[in-house]
Amino acid sequence: MPPDTGQLAVLTGNALKGHSRYDNPALGKTLRTLLNRLEEIGVLAWTMSITRGEASSIAPSATFTERVQAAGISLEDIGRLPGEEVILLSRKFELRGNVEDGKREAVEYTDTPATMAMREVMRDLNTFLAGADITFVDDGGDPVDTHQRTLRRHFTLRRDDAGERFDRCGRLFGGFWQYLKRDRRGGIRINGEKVAVLDYASMFPRLAYASVGAVPPEGDLYAIPGLEEYRRGVKLAVNCLLFDDHTNRKSWPADLTLASGTAEGAALPEGWTVARTRRAVLDRHPALAPCFGTGLGYSLMHTESMILVEVLNRLKAQGIVALGLHDGLLVPHAKAEAARTAMEEVGRKVTSMSLPVTVATLG
């Protein structure tokens, strides 16, 4: 959806023109020429950036907006051209030695039978979703574009990876439902029906247990003595330890040190240092000691994505529309049990252990 400003960022530099699988060949001179002409005939206003590396912006003119409204054009009439890349590989930028700035660069890769097979699976899923009856009940909030359904798998390279590989991450992104706040997802309707949300319970630590061939204890794996009221903070801390590729972390990220004092604030209470929290987690989960500080999280995320993609494919084969949520999905309420069965069966197939699934109805 366009931002509140009504302006859309657009890249017009020559260096961006069709040099990789991720780029639109129209970028560069072709796009600049088109924008110039559209501005001349009063379709849009084009604000060119004078700062290197900063995007320009465009906005529809009042006259063009009136013509669109008069013609009854809606979001349903606007779509994406088929053929865009849906298997993405990227690497984090590295600055000042081992310090990363969080930005990523797209990595051009050579296709293999494996990447071509993954692309075919994703395009089949996207075709199925494109034809599905998915709507949203207006709740008075920001507009929701229910036609934003193109899913893409995002794979990651660590900074020390020398070659191309597709066994890190692989999560699905791009569906409008993924960007909706949790309290708004109840407005989604599939085939006119309210949706149920299904989640794998404590999935990341369970996948970590599976990776070392150990059986997790009963109950909520994020329930740590002394931190019972800080489940979300524990979850973030465990994920942090699983993604670290070293064991010398001295402090937590900012979102774990905000002294909000409640689970809702996603923070750990004062005094819970990295060392103290690590000890508490390992007291409850000693089998996970080999999993911390090795960067295992990227591989666990890949396992998670493999499970989700297979579940979505199974449900598609049954004619069930499912919207993926990384470690869970949304389905019509009447199909919740069929979805739970698929999730449990695929989870056991991939990990050789039981992955419990929770079900709740939204809306």
Side-chain angles (χ1 to χ4, degrees), residues 159-223:
R159 60 175 177 263
D160 55 348
D161 286 333
E164 301 166 5
R165 55 190 300 170
F166 292 85
D167 59 352
R168 305 194 195 282
C169 298
R171 277 183 163 181
L172 276 61
F173 292 91
F176 76 89
W177 58 90
Q178 297 175 314
Y179 309 109
L180 277 178
K181 292 183 178 180
R182 291 175 183 268
D183 60 359
R184 299 191 70 197
R185 289 176 180 164
I188 297 174
R189 299 289 184 269
I190 299 177
N191 299 327
E193 187 177 343
K194 291 183 178 182
V195 296
V197 59
L198 294 87
D199 288 299
Y200 284 108
S202 307
M203 189 173 196
F204 243 50
R206 290 185 190 280
L207 293 180
Y209 267 98
S211 74
V212 294
V215 179
E218 296 294 325
D220 183 6
L221 302 190
Y222 292 119

Side-chain angles (χ1 to χ4, degrees), residues 227-234 236 260-269:
L227 292 172
E228 292 86 353
E229 301 300 318
Y230 298 86
R231 185 183 187 279
R232 182 164 167 75
V234 171
L236 290 173
S260 60
T262 67
E264 292 299 321
L268 294 173

Side-chain angles (χ1 to χ4, degrees), residues 24-247:
N24 188 315
L27 293 178
K29 183 178 179 180
T30 302
L31 179 59
R32 290 199 306 275
T33 301
L34 175 62
L35 293 179
N36 266 320
R37 183 63 183 135
L38 290 174
E39 188 171 40
E40 288 174 0
I41 63 176
V43 169
L44 56 78
W46 176 18
T47 303
M48 288 183 286
S49 171
I50 59 174
T51 304
R52 182 178 178 82
E54 182 178 287
S56 300
S57 64
I58 58 175
S61 67
T63 301
F64 180 69
T65 300
E66 291 172 0
R67 293 179 65 184
V68 168
Q69 293 172 341
I73 297 173
S74 67
L75 289 173
E76 188 174 355
D77 301 304
I78 302 171
R80 306 176 72 95
L81 286 174
E84 68 179 292
E85 185 57 74
V86 292
I87 303 299
L88 282 63
L89 182 65
S90 65
R91 186 196 304 271
K92 281 187 176 181
F93 284 110
E94 184 176 314
L95 300 176
R96 299 184 302 278
N98 290 333
V99 179
E100 295 174 344
D101 69 356
K103 295 182 180 179
R104 293 181 178 276
E105 58 180 347
V107 175
E108 182 67 22
Y109 59 86
T110 302
D111 262 324
T112 66
T115 60
M116 289 187 287
M118 288 190 293
R119 185 177 298 111
E120 187 66 23
V121 167
M122 292 308 304
R123 287 181 174 169
D124 284 348
L125 279 174
N126 286 331
T127 298
F128 180 63
L129 289 175
D133 178 9
I134 306 171
T135 57
F136 185 81
V137 178
D138 186 3
D139 59 1
D142 292 336
V144 175
D145 181 4
T146 59
H147 301 282
Q148 184 181 341
R149 307 177 188 180
T150 301
L151 295 175
R152 296 170 287 275
R153 289 192 75 179
H154 290 241
F155 294 88
T156 295
L157 293 178
R158 290 168 54 177
R159 60 175 177 263
D160 55 348
D161 286 333
E164 301 166 5
R165 55 190 300 170
F166 292 85
D167 59 352
R168 305 194 195 282
C169 298
R171 277 183 163 181
L172 276 61
F173 292 91
F176 76 89
W177 58 90
Q178 297 175 314
Y179 309 109
L180 277 178
K181 292 183 178 180
R182 291 175 183 268
D183 60 359
R184 299 191 70 197
R185 289 176 180 164
I188 297 174
R189 299 289 184 269
I190 299 177
N191 299 327
E193 187 177 343
K194 291 183 178 182
V195 296
V197 59
L198 294 87
D199 288 299
Y200 284 108
S202 307
M203 189 173 196
F204 243 50
R206 290 185 190 280
L207 293 180
Y209 267 98
S211 74
V212 294
V215 179
E218 296 294 325
D220 183 6
L221 302 190
Y222 292 119
I224 303 298
L227 292 172
E228 292 86 353
E229 301 300 318
Y230 298 86
R231 185 183 187 279
R232 182 164 167 75
V234 171
K235 182 176 180 178
L236 290 173
V238 170
N239 286 350
C240 191
L241 296 172
L242 286 170
F243 277 95
D244 278 345
D245 58 4
H246 56 81
T247 58

